[in-house]
Amino acid sequence: MAETSGDWPIRTDKPNPFTPPLSSRDLISTLPDTVIHHIFSFLPLQDVVKTSVLSKRWRPTWTTATDLVFDGEIVARPCGTLDFSFIVDSVLIQCTSPTVKRFHITNFEYNEAHRLKFNLWLRFAEGHRVEELGLRLLPNTELPMFYILPRFLYCWSWLVRLEVWVCCFSLVRTIRWPCLKVLSILYSNLSDDILEEIFRGCPVLESLELWGCWDVKNIMIELTSVKELILEGLAFSNIQKIWAPHLLSLRMSGIWGPHTVFRLDDVSSLVEAKLKFSILPCDEKMHSSMLKEHFEKLREVTTMTIGVWCLQLELDEESKECFNYDGEDFLRSRKNFQCLAKHLKRVEITTDIHGLERLLPLIKFLLGETLSLEKMIIKADLGMEHGQEHLQAVDLSKLLGVSQNMLSYRRASKNAEVIFSHSFK
Protein backbone atom coordinates (compact mmCIF):
# COMPACT_ATOMS: atom_id res chain seq x y z
CA MET A 1 0.00 0.00 0.00
CA ALA A 2 1.07 3.59 -0.51
CA GLU A 3 0.12 6.49 1.77
CA THR A 4 0.38 10.11 0.75
CA SER A 5 1.96 12.98 2.61
CA GLY A 6 1.34 16.24 0.86
CA ASP A 7 2.20 15.79 -2.81
CA TRP A 8 4.58 12.86 -2.34
CA PRO A 9 3.61 9.17 -2.02
CA ILE A 10 5.20 7.25 0.85
CA ARG A 11 5.82 3.53 0.30
CA THR A 12 4.80 1.36 3.23
CA ASP A 13 4.96 -2.00 1.38
CA LYS A 14 7.15 -4.59 3.03
CA PRO A 15 9.31 -6.93 0.95
CA ASN A 16 7.81 -10.35 0.32
CA PRO A 17 9.82 -12.81 2.43
CA PHE A 18 9.05 -15.58 -0.09
CA THR A 19 10.63 -13.74 -3.06
CA PRO A 20 14.20 -14.99 -3.57
CA PRO A 21 16.94 -12.36 -3.74
CA LEU A 22 17.89 -11.18 -7.24
CA SER A 23 21.29 -12.84 -7.08
CA SER A 24 19.78 -16.29 -6.56
CA ARG A 25 17.18 -16.17 -9.35
CA ASP A 26 17.76 -18.13 -12.59
CA LEU A 27 17.35 -15.09 -14.81
CA ILE A 28 18.97 -16.75 -17.81
CA SER A 29 16.11 -19.25 -17.96
CA THR A 30 13.55 -16.46 -18.24
CA LEU A 31 14.96 -15.00 -21.45
CA PRO A 32 12.52 -15.21 -24.38
CA ASP A 33 13.44 -17.29 -27.43
CA THR A 34 13.91 -14.18 -29.59
CA VAL A 35 16.65 -12.91 -27.28
CA ILE A 36 18.31 -16.33 -27.09
CA HIS A 37 18.34 -16.66 -30.88
CA HIS A 38 19.83 -13.19 -31.13
CA ILE A 39 22.62 -14.32 -28.79
CA PHE A 40 23.10 -17.46 -30.88
CA SER A 41 23.62 -15.36 -34.03
CA PHE A 42 26.90 -14.04 -32.57
CA LEU A 43 28.31 -17.41 -31.52
CA PRO A 44 30.15 -20.13 -33.43
CA LEU A 45 27.92 -23.16 -33.83
CA GLN A 46 29.90 -25.33 -31.44
CA ASP A 47 29.39 -22.71 -28.73
CA VAL A 48 25.67 -22.58 -29.49
CA VAL A 49 25.48 -26.32 -28.81
CA LYS A 50 27.42 -25.88 -25.56
CA THR A 51 24.73 -23.53 -24.21
CA SER A 52 22.62 -26.63 -23.51
CA VAL A 53 24.46 -27.02 -20.18
CA LEU A 54 23.43 -23.58 -18.89
CA SER A 55 20.03 -24.65 -17.60
CA LYS A 56 17.14 -27.02 -18.23
CA ARG A 57 15.39 -24.26 -20.12
CA TRP A 58 18.37 -23.93 -22.50
CA ARG A 59 18.97 -27.67 -22.96
CA PRO A 60 16.83 -28.06 -26.10
CA THR A 61 16.94 -24.43 -27.20
CA TRP A 62 19.99 -24.77 -29.45
CA THR A 63 17.99 -27.12 -31.69
CA THR A 64 15.73 -24.17 -32.57
CA ALA A 65 18.62 -21.98 -33.77
CA THR A 66 17.87 -20.11 -36.99
CA ASP A 67 21.52 -19.37 -37.85
CA LEU A 68 23.49 -22.48 -38.83
CA VAL A 69 27.09 -21.64 -39.73
CA PHE A 70 29.42 -24.62 -40.09
CA ASP A 71 33.07 -23.60 -40.28
CA GLY A 72 35.27 -26.50 -41.34
CA GLU A 73 38.38 -24.79 -40.01
CA ILE A 74 36.93 -24.57 -36.48
CA VAL A 75 34.53 -27.49 -36.22
CA ALA A 76 36.76 -30.08 -37.88
CA ARG A 77 39.95 -29.17 -36.07
CA PRO A 78 41.58 -31.59 -35.50
CA CYS A 79 39.08 -34.24 -36.57
CA GLY A 80 39.08 -33.93 -40.36
CA THR A 81 36.46 -33.65 -43.09
CA LEU A 82 34.67 -36.94 -42.35
CA ASP A 83 33.92 -35.82 -38.82
CA PHE A 84 32.89 -32.41 -40.13
CA SER A 85 30.26 -34.05 -42.34
CA PHE A 86 29.09 -36.12 -39.38
CA ILE A 87 28.75 -32.98 -37.24
CA VAL A 88 26.72 -31.19 -39.92
CA ASP A 89 24.42 -34.22 -40.28
CA SER A 90 23.95 -34.49 -36.51
CA VAL A 91 22.98 -30.85 -36.13
CA LEU A 92 20.59 -30.89 -39.07
CA ILE A 93 18.86 -34.05 -37.82
CA GLN A 94 18.23 -32.43 -34.43
CA CYS A 95 17.12 -29.08 -35.84
CA THR A 96 13.48 -28.40 -34.83
CA SER A 97 13.09 -24.86 -36.15
CA PRO A 98 10.55 -24.73 -39.00
CA THR A 99 12.62 -22.02 -40.74
CA VAL A 100 16.34 -21.25 -40.85
CA LYS A 101 17.43 -17.75 -41.76
CA ARG A 102 21.14 -18.40 -42.43
CA PHE A 103 22.87 -21.59 -43.58
CA HIS A 104 26.61 -21.48 -44.29
CA ILE A 105 29.23 -24.11 -45.05
CA THR A 106 32.67 -22.48 -44.92
CA ASN A 107 36.30 -23.58 -45.18
CA PHE A 108 35.40 -27.06 -46.40
CA GLU A 109 37.75 -28.70 -48.89
CA TYR A 110 35.42 -29.97 -51.57
CA ASN A 111 35.83 -32.96 -53.86
CA GLU A 112 33.41 -34.94 -56.01
CA ALA A 113 32.81 -37.50 -53.26
CA HIS A 114 30.97 -34.82 -51.27
CA ARG A 115 28.50 -33.87 -54.01
CA LEU A 116 25.58 -36.05 -52.86
CA LYS A 117 26.13 -34.94 -49.27
CA PHE A 118 25.97 -31.28 -50.32
CA ASN A 119 22.81 -31.93 -52.30
CA LEU A 120 21.19 -33.36 -49.17
CA TRP A 121 22.27 -30.37 -47.09
CA LEU A 122 20.78 -28.00 -49.66
CA ARG A 123 17.56 -30.02 -49.61
CA PHE A 124 17.46 -29.33 -45.87
CA ALA A 125 18.02 -25.62 -46.58
CA GLU A 126 15.24 -25.70 -49.16
CA GLY A 127 12.81 -27.33 -46.75
CA HIS A 128 13.58 -24.69 -44.11
CA ARG A 129 13.36 -21.78 -46.59
CA VAL A 130 16.86 -20.47 -45.92
CA GLU A 131 17.14 -16.76 -46.80
CA GLU A 132 20.93 -16.44 -46.62
CA LEU A 133 22.93 -19.27 -48.19
CA GLY A 134 26.72 -19.39 -48.14
CA LEU A 135 28.90 -22.13 -49.68
CA ARG A 136 32.46 -20.95 -49.09
CA LEU A 137 34.24 -24.04 -50.34
CA LEU A 138 37.94 -24.65 -50.75
CA PRO A 139 39.32 -26.41 -53.85
CA ASN A 140 40.98 -29.77 -53.36
CA THR A 141 44.71 -29.10 -53.66
CA GLU A 142 45.46 -32.42 -55.40
CA LEU A 143 42.47 -32.63 -57.74
CA PRO A 144 40.58 -29.30 -57.98
CA MET A 145 36.84 -29.88 -58.36
CA PHE A 146 33.88 -27.54 -58.49
CA TYR A 147 30.55 -28.18 -56.84
CA ILE A 148 27.84 -28.15 -59.50
CA LEU A 149 24.93 -26.20 -58.06
CA PRO A 150 21.82 -28.44 -58.18
CA ARG A 151 18.91 -27.48 -60.40
CA PHE A 152 16.43 -27.09 -57.55
CA LEU A 153 18.50 -24.21 -56.13
CA TYR A 154 17.70 -22.01 -59.14
CA CYS A 155 14.05 -21.59 -58.15
CA TRP A 156 14.32 -20.57 -54.48
CA SER A 157 11.89 -17.66 -54.60
CA TRP A 158 12.62 -16.71 -50.97
CA LEU A 159 16.42 -16.42 -51.24
CA VAL A 160 17.74 -12.98 -50.19
CA ARG A 161 21.52 -13.45 -50.07
CA LEU A 162 23.74 -15.97 -51.89
CA GLU A 163 27.49 -16.46 -51.62
CA VAL A 164 29.18 -19.31 -53.49
CA TRP A 165 32.87 -20.20 -53.75
CA VAL A 166 34.27 -22.90 -56.06
CA CYS A 167 30.84 -23.65 -57.54
CA CYS A 168 29.64 -24.13 -61.11
CA PHE A 169 26.53 -22.65 -62.70
CA SER A 170 24.68 -24.10 -65.66
CA LEU A 171 22.02 -22.91 -68.11
CA VAL A 172 19.94 -26.06 -67.96
CA ARG A 173 17.25 -24.28 -65.96
CA THR A 174 15.90 -20.74 -65.80
CA ILE A 175 17.11 -18.85 -62.73
CA ARG A 176 14.32 -17.40 -60.59
CA TRP A 177 15.45 -15.52 -57.50
CA PRO A 178 12.85 -12.74 -57.20
CA CYS A 179 13.94 -11.75 -53.66
CA LEU A 180 17.72 -11.96 -54.09
CA LYS A 181 19.46 -8.71 -53.11
CA VAL A 182 23.11 -9.69 -52.60
CA LEU A 183 25.08 -12.11 -54.80
CA SER A 184 28.76 -12.99 -54.32
CA ILE A 185 30.57 -15.46 -56.60
CA LEU A 186 34.19 -16.54 -56.21
CA TYR A 187 36.13 -18.94 -58.46
CA SER A 188 33.44 -19.98 -60.86
CA ASN A 189 32.86 -20.86 -64.50
CA LEU A 190 30.48 -17.92 -64.71
CA SER A 191 30.04 -16.70 -68.29
CA ASP A 192 28.37 -13.73 -69.97
CA ASP A 193 25.31 -15.85 -70.83
CA ILE A 194 24.88 -17.13 -67.29
CA LEU A 195 25.37 -13.64 -65.86
CA GLU A 196 22.68 -12.33 -68.20
CA GLU A 197 20.34 -15.11 -67.05
CA ILE A 198 21.03 -14.17 -63.42
CA PHE A 199 20.11 -10.54 -64.10
CA ARG A 200 16.86 -11.62 -65.75
CA GLY A 201 15.91 -13.75 -62.75
CA CYS A 202 16.90 -11.25 -60.02
CA PRO A 203 14.73 -8.15 -60.45
CA VAL A 204 15.65 -6.64 -57.04
CA LEU A 205 19.38 -7.45 -57.01
CA GLU A 206 21.30 -4.62 -55.31
CA SER A 207 24.90 -5.83 -54.94
CA LEU A 208 27.04 -8.08 -57.16
CA GLU A 209 30.51 -9.31 -56.22
CA LEU A 210 32.69 -11.32 -58.63
CA TRP A 211 36.09 -12.78 -57.73
CA GLY A 212 38.11 -14.67 -60.30
CA CYS A 213 35.25 -15.49 -62.66
CA TRP A 214 37.48 -16.13 -65.66
CA ASP A 215 34.83 -16.60 -68.36
CA VAL A 216 33.12 -13.25 -67.75
CA LYS A 217 34.11 -10.75 -70.43
CA ASN A 218 31.28 -8.22 -70.64
CA ILE A 219 29.34 -7.05 -67.60
CA MET A 220 26.13 -5.53 -68.93
CA ILE A 221 23.78 -4.44 -66.14
CA GLU A 222 20.43 -3.01 -67.26
CA LEU A 223 18.77 -3.53 -63.88
CA THR A 224 18.03 -0.24 -62.16
CA SER A 225 18.19 -1.97 -58.76
CA VAL A 226 21.90 -2.92 -58.96
CA LYS A 227 23.80 -0.15 -57.16
CA GLU A 228 27.06 -1.86 -56.17
CA LEU A 229 29.57 -3.85 -58.25
CA ILE A 230 32.69 -5.37 -56.67
CA LEU A 231 35.32 -6.97 -58.92
CA GLU A 232 38.36 -8.81 -57.59
CA GLY A 233 40.70 -9.64 -60.43
CA LEU A 234 43.06 -12.58 -60.77
CA ALA A 235 45.79 -13.44 -63.26
CA PHE A 236 43.30 -15.23 -65.50
CA SER A 237 40.52 -12.61 -65.38
CA ASN A 238 39.24 -11.57 -68.82
CA ILE A 239 36.85 -8.67 -68.24
CA GLN A 240 36.73 -6.40 -71.28
CA LYS A 241 33.77 -4.08 -70.78
CA ILE A 242 31.55 -2.74 -68.00
CA TRP A 243 28.21 -1.19 -68.92
CA ALA A 244 26.09 -0.23 -65.93
CA PRO A 245 24.34 3.15 -66.29
CA HIS A 246 22.48 2.89 -62.96
CA LEU A 247 25.44 1.78 -60.83
CA LEU A 248 26.32 3.98 -57.84
CA SER A 249 29.44 2.23 -56.48
CA LEU A 250 32.25 0.43 -58.35
CA ARG A 251 35.15 -1.27 -56.56
CA MET A 252 37.98 -2.96 -58.42
CA SER A 253 40.91 -4.65 -56.69
CA GLY A 254 43.32 -7.55 -56.98
CA ILE A 255 46.15 -8.42 -59.36
CA TRP A 256 44.95 -8.69 -62.95
CA GLY A 257 46.68 -10.44 -65.83
CA PRO A 258 49.04 -8.62 -68.25
CA HIS A 259 46.52 -8.71 -71.12
CA THR A 260 43.76 -7.01 -69.11
CA VAL A 261 42.37 -4.00 -70.98
CA PHE A 262 38.79 -3.12 -70.13
CA ARG A 263 36.49 -0.20 -70.91
CA LEU A 264 34.00 1.64 -68.76
CA ASP A 265 31.32 2.12 -71.40
CA ASP A 266 28.57 3.75 -69.34
CA VAL A 267 28.89 4.29 -65.60
CA SER A 268 27.31 7.73 -65.67
CA SER A 269 25.49 7.39 -62.31
CA LEU A 270 28.55 6.51 -60.23
CA VAL A 271 29.12 8.49 -57.04
CA GLU A 272 31.82 6.23 -55.58
CA ALA A 273 34.75 4.49 -57.30
CA LYS A 274 37.60 2.45 -55.83
CA LEU A 275 40.40 1.57 -58.24
CA LYS A 276 42.81 -0.44 -56.11
CA PHE A 277 43.83 -3.02 -58.70
CA SER A 278 47.17 -3.67 -60.37
CA ILE A 279 48.09 -5.24 -63.70
CA LEU A 280 51.31 -7.24 -63.59
CA PRO A 281 53.35 -7.21 -65.69
CA CYS A 282 51.91 -4.16 -67.39
CA ASP A 283 52.29 -2.53 -70.77
CA GLU A 284 53.00 0.98 -69.53
CA LYS A 285 51.79 2.85 -72.59
CA MET A 286 48.67 0.74 -73.14
CA HIS A 287 47.57 0.64 -69.52
CA SER A 288 48.33 4.31 -68.93
CA SER A 289 46.03 5.11 -71.85
CA MET A 290 43.37 2.85 -70.34
CA LEU A 291 43.57 4.68 -67.01
CA LYS A 292 43.21 8.06 -68.73
CA GLU A 293 39.95 6.87 -70.28
CA HIS A 294 38.78 5.59 -66.88
CA PHE A 295 39.45 8.92 -65.18
CA GLU A 296 37.56 10.71 -67.94
CA LYS A 297 34.56 8.42 -67.42
CA LEU A 298 34.74 8.97 -63.65
CA ARG A 299 34.94 12.76 -63.77
CA GLU A 300 31.54 13.18 -62.03
CA VAL A 301 32.40 10.83 -59.16
CA THR A 302 32.36 12.52 -55.75
CA THR A 303 34.27 9.85 -53.79
CA MET A 304 37.24 8.04 -55.30
CA THR A 305 39.88 5.69 -53.89
CA ILE A 306 42.91 5.17 -56.13
CA GLY A 307 45.39 2.38 -55.39
CA VAL A 308 49.16 2.67 -55.47
CA TRP A 309 49.60 0.96 -58.86
CA CYS A 310 47.21 3.29 -60.67
CA LEU A 311 48.85 6.36 -59.18
CA GLN A 312 52.40 5.20 -59.69
CA LEU A 313 51.68 4.35 -63.31
CA GLU A 314 50.57 7.94 -63.84
CA LEU A 315 53.59 9.29 -61.97
CA ASP A 316 56.23 6.93 -63.32
CA GLU A 317 59.52 8.63 -64.12
CA GLU A 318 59.60 7.21 -67.65
CA SER A 319 56.15 8.63 -68.36
CA LYS A 320 57.30 12.05 -67.21
CA GLU A 321 60.24 11.96 -69.60
CA CYS A 322 58.03 10.75 -72.43
CA PHE A 323 55.62 13.67 -72.02
CA ASN A 324 58.41 16.18 -71.28
CA TYR A 325 56.77 17.28 -68.04
CA ASP A 326 57.96 17.10 -64.51
CA GLY A 327 56.44 17.59 -61.09
CA GLU A 328 53.41 19.81 -60.80
CA ASP A 329 53.46 20.93 -64.46
CA PHE A 330 53.17 17.28 -65.54
CA LEU A 331 50.03 16.83 -63.47
CA ARG A 332 48.48 20.16 -64.29
CA SER A 333 48.65 19.35 -68.00
CA ARG A 334 46.59 16.17 -67.70
CA LYS A 335 42.94 16.74 -68.68
CA ASN A 336 41.74 13.77 -66.67
CA PHE A 337 43.09 15.25 -63.44
CA GLN A 338 41.59 18.63 -64.30
CA CYS A 339 38.16 17.05 -64.71
CA LEU A 340 38.47 15.21 -61.41
CA ALA A 341 39.64 18.36 -59.64
CA LYS A 342 36.32 20.08 -60.35
CA HIS A 343 34.16 17.41 -58.75
CA LEU A 344 36.14 15.44 -56.16
CA LYS A 345 34.97 15.82 -52.57
CA ARG A 346 36.81 12.95 -50.90
CA VAL A 347 40.23 11.43 -51.70
CA GLU A 348 41.66 8.39 -49.95
CA ILE A 349 45.23 7.24 -50.63
CA THR A 350 46.63 3.99 -49.22
CA THR A 351 50.35 3.38 -49.68
CA ASP A 352 53.61 2.71 -47.85
CA ILE A 353 55.98 5.44 -46.71
CA HIS A 354 58.12 5.21 -49.86
CA GLY A 355 55.11 5.37 -52.15
CA LEU A 356 53.80 8.33 -50.18
CA GLU A 357 56.94 10.31 -50.92
CA ARG A 358 56.51 9.64 -54.66
CA LEU A 359 52.89 10.78 -54.50
CA LEU A 360 53.62 14.15 -52.93
CA PRO A 361 53.36 16.00 -56.30
CA LEU A 362 49.90 14.50 -56.86
CA ILE A 363 48.79 15.35 -53.31
CA LYS A 364 50.05 18.91 -53.71
CA PHE A 365 48.21 19.23 -57.01
CA LEU A 366 44.91 17.89 -55.67
CA LEU A 367 44.99 20.10 -52.58
CA GLY A 368 45.89 23.16 -54.64
CA GLU A 369 43.45 22.62 -57.52
CA THR A 370 40.42 20.70 -56.20
CA LEU A 371 37.79 23.33 -55.49
CA SER A 372 35.19 21.01 -53.93
CA LEU A 373 37.52 18.85 -51.83
CA GLU A 374 36.19 18.17 -48.34
CA LYS A 375 38.39 15.38 -47.04
CA MET A 376 41.72 13.79 -48.00
CA ILE A 377 42.64 10.64 -46.08
CA ILE A 378 46.24 9.38 -46.23
CA LYS A 379 46.70 5.81 -44.98
CA ALA A 380 50.35 4.82 -44.63
CA ASP A 381 51.09 1.13 -44.22
CA LEU A 382 54.48 0.92 -42.51
CA GLY A 383 54.61 -2.85 -43.09
CA MET A 384 56.55 -3.75 -39.95
CA GLU A 385 57.05 -7.44 -39.40
CA HIS A 386 58.30 -9.32 -36.38
CA GLY A 387 61.92 -8.47 -35.65
CA GLN A 388 61.79 -5.11 -37.44
CA GLU A 389 60.45 -3.04 -34.59
CA HIS A 390 63.63 -0.97 -34.54
CA LEU A 391 62.61 0.46 -37.92
CA GLN A 392 59.32 1.83 -36.61
CA ALA A 393 60.87 4.94 -35.07
CA VAL A 394 62.74 5.72 -38.31
CA ASP A 395 59.68 5.42 -40.54
CA LEU A 396 57.44 7.21 -38.05
CA SER A 397 59.89 10.09 -37.98
CA LYS A 398 59.93 10.14 -41.80
CA LEU A 399 56.11 9.99 -41.85
CA LEU A 400 55.96 12.95 -39.47
CA GLY A 401 58.22 14.98 -41.77
CA VAL A 402 56.16 14.11 -44.85
CA SER A 403 52.89 14.93 -43.09
CA GLN A 404 54.17 18.31 -41.91
CA ASN A 405 55.25 19.02 -45.48
CA MET A 406 51.77 18.17 -46.79
CA LEU A 407 50.04 20.35 -44.22
CA SER A 408 51.93 23.34 -45.61
CA TYR A 409 50.48 22.89 -49.13
CA ARG A 410 48.02 25.46 -50.42
CA ARG A 411 44.39 24.35 -50.41
CA ALA A 412 41.97 25.52 -53.08
CA SER A 413 39.00 24.46 -50.94
CA LYS A 414 38.59 26.20 -47.62
CA ASN A 415 36.73 23.12 -46.34
CA ALA A 416 39.51 20.66 -47.24
CA GLU A 417 40.55 18.47 -44.31
CA VAL A 418 43.69 16.28 -44.38
CA ILE A 419 43.67 13.17 -42.17
CA PHE A 420 46.69 10.92 -41.58
CA SER A 421 46.64 7.35 -40.30
CA HIS A 422 49.22 4.59 -40.22
CA SER A 423 49.19 0.88 -39.52
CA PHE A 424 51.67 -1.92 -38.84
CA LYS A 425 51.32 -5.41 -40.32
Side-chain angles (χ1 to χ4, degrees), residues 37 40-41 45 48 61-70 88 91-105 120-134 153 156-161:
H37 288 154
F40 284 169
S41 67
L45 187 61
V48 171
T61 306
W62 74 268
T63 64
T64 65
T66 57
D67 291 90
L68 301 180
V69 179
F70 301 92
V88 175
V91 171
L92 299 188
I93 289 173
Q94 298 181 71
C95 178
T96 60
S97 176
T99 59
V100 173
K101 180 180 180 181
R102 185 168 54 145
F103 182 81
H104 285 188
I105 302 290
L120 289 174
W121 292 344
L122 289 187
R123 282 295 188 187
F124 167 89
E126 180 183 42
H128 290 74
R129 299 180 71 85
V130 167
E131 296 180 4
E132 299 181 16
L133 176 64
L153 174 62
W156 287 12
S157 60
W158 56 87
L159 195 61
V160 176
R161 188 183 190 102

Side-chain angles (χ1 to χ4, degrees), residues 68-87:
L68 301 180
V69 179
F70 301 92
D71 191 333
E73 189 173 286
I74 297 175
V75 175
R77 190 191 305 130
C79 304
T81 56
L82 290 177
D83 292 289
F84 176 76
S85 298
F86 176 78
I87 291 171

Side-chain angles (χ1 to χ4, degrees), residues 238-255:
N238 294 310
I239 291 178
Q240 298 173 2
K241 180 171 65 174
I242 299 174
W243 185 88
H246 307 289
L247 202 64
L248 298 181
S249 175
L250 173 64
R251 300 187 219 171
M252 303 185 68
S253 59
I255 300 177

Side-chain angles (χ1 to χ4, degrees), residues 135-167:
L135 300 176
R136 302 175 185 173
L137 311 182
L138 303 176
N140 188 294
T141 54
E142 296 181 358
L143 184 62
M145 297 293 296
F146 293 85
Y147 174 54
I148 302 175
L149 296 174
R151 297 181 180 183
F152 61 82
L153 174 62
Y154 295 142
C155 59
W156 287 12
S157 60
W158 56 87
L159 195 61
V160 176
R161 188 183 190 102
L162 176 63
E163 184 176 5
V164 289
W165 297 11
V166 195
C167 294

